[in-house]
Amino acid sequence: MKRYALDGRKNFIGERARKVRESMELSQEQVAAQMEIMHVVINGNAISLIEAGERFVSDFEALYLAKVLKVDLMWLLTGEES
């Protein structure tokens, strides 16, 4: 059986992404707009769902989200620096 959620969450990065986004004083729409400049098609609602742990995140979305938030991808995934 495939497992698509762990403890009810569909991603590990959402909570850390939200905290960083808020500390940068960016809206979810601003993060989405910056990702779209990098050719990642996403909107503010998707960022909201990611932050809530209600949406899966592809590898390229995680990579570009880390770039927009100016954090290490490994930290975004694990909470630990690489």
Side-chain angles (χ1 to χ4, degrees), residues 4-18:
Y4 292 103
L6 182 62
D7 296 329
R9 298 189 61 82
K10 295 181 180 176
N11 68 64
F12 287 121
I13 71 172
E15 289 180 34
R16 283 184 285 278
R18 179 188 52 78

Side-chain angles (χ1 to χ4, degrees), residues 28-78:
Q28 293 166 336
E29 292 78 17
Q30 288 171 314
V31 170
Q34 288 185 34
M35 289 179 69
E36 287 192 5
I37 290 170
M38 297 177 196
H39 305 287
V40 177
V41 179
I42 197 163
N43 60 38
N45 185 54
I47 299 296
S48 175
L49 293 172
I50 290 169
E51 290 180 356
E54 297 175 3
R55 181 182 179 280
F56 293 107
V57 183
S58 69
D59 53 358
F60 64 87
E61 289 173 329
L63 176 64
Y64 286 100
L65 182 57
K67 288 180 185 228
V68 167
L69 297 176
K70 299 180 173 109
V71 296
D72 182 69
L73 177 59
M74 187 57 66
W75 177 82
L76 195 59
L77 289 168
T78 67

